[in-house]
């Protein structure tokens, strides 16, 4: 079982998009039963709020299924529960380490690092562009899956 927690600032745009995109990818590859995939926020800013409607619309356009959800904050106990804690941007990493009390098992990484890029996922909260964010998350998730199975 491979357990993945995606993390962003608010858990209404980028990390739930990554959660639904990776869930769809593993389902299409027939390997969904091998994965637990979740997402959470470093902040409490959007706690309890649903997927941001423009993010939901973009996923629907791309044929990625979504389920109703409420934004939640990363917990210290998630560090033991998940194998991979994957941040959307560099500043998330500092906050993940603050919440989890460091990263002694090297579980924390940047999503695009799996695609060989040392870049943040574009933040659509500020750019208003969900297309670029979607493409970058797909790139990171594809890289993640190929690295998972090359080990
Ligand atoms: P997310 O987007 O971190 O991708 O869910 C944001 C959501 C809320 C805020 C910023 C980014 N905010 O400042 O409230």
């Amino acid at each position: 079982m491979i357990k993945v927690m995606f993390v962003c600032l608010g858990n209404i745009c980028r990390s739930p998009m990554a959660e639904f995109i990776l869930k769809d990818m593993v389902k299409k590859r027939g390997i969904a039963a091998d994965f637990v995939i979740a997402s959470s926020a470093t902040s409490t800013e959007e706690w309890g709020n649903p997927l941001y409607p423009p993010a939901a619309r973009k996923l629907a356009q791309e044929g990625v299924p979504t389920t109703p959800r409420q934004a939640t904050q990363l917990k210290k106990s998630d560090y033991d529960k998940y194998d991979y804690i994957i941040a959307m941007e560099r500043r998330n990493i500092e906050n993940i380490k603050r919440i989890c009390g460091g990263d002694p098992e090297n579980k924390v990484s940047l999503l695009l690092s799996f695609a060989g890029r040392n870049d943040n996922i574009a933040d659509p909260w500020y750019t208003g562009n969900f297309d670029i964010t979607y493409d970058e998350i797909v790139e990171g998730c594809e890289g993640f899956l190929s690295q998972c199975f090359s080990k």
Side-chain angles (χ1 to χ4, degrees), residues 101-128:
D103 180 19
E105 295 177 54
N106 273 322
K107 293 182 174 185
V108 181
S109 53
L110 198 59
L111 179 56
L112 278 173
S113 70
F114 292 101
R117 288 176 55 184
N118 187 28
D119 296 319
N120 295 329
I121 298 286
D123 187 347
W125 187 261
Y126 298 105
T127 64

Side-chain angles (χ1 to χ4, degrees), residues 13-135:
C13 298
R14 293 161 295 175
S15 65
M17 286 176 78
E19 173 185 337
F20 290 127
I21 288 167
L22 188 65
K23 281 179 171 168
D24 187 46
M25 284 179 179
V26 297
K27 191 168 175 209
K28 285 182 171 144
R29 291 171 199 211
I31 53 173
D34 297 332
F35 285 81
V36 171
I37 303 165
S39 66
S40 60
T42 56
S43 76
T44 53
E45 202 81 31
E46 301 290 344
W47 200 87
N49 287 339
L51 184 61
Y52 192 50
R57 276 198 293 278
K58 176 64 185 171
L59 293 176
Q61 268 170 24
E62 298 291 340
V64 175
T66 59
T67 48
R69 67 181 310 283
Q70 293 188 312
T72 184
Q73 191 184 27
L74 180 71
K75 296 191 287 287
K76 192 174 196 299
S77 57
D78 290 327
Y79 191 82
D80 293 328
K81 218 161 134 184
Y82 291 89
D83 305 308
Y84 294 91
I85 301 177
I86 304 180
M88 298 298 124
E89 59 177 328
R90 261 179 231 98
R91 72 173 163 159
N92 303 145
I93 292 183
E94 296 318 307
N95 288 317
I96 291 167
K97 289 180 180 171
R98 183 177 47 75
I99 292 167
C100 296
D103 180 19
E105 295 177 54
N106 273 322
K107 293 182 174 185
V108 181
S109 53
L110 198 59
L111 179 56
L112 278 173
S113 70
F114 292 101
R117 288 176 55 184
N118 187 28
D119 296 319
N120 295 329
I121 298 286
D123 187 347
W125 187 261
Y126 298 105
T127 64
N129 186 330
F130 287 79
D131 300 334
I132 294 172
T133 299
Y134 175 86
D135 290 346

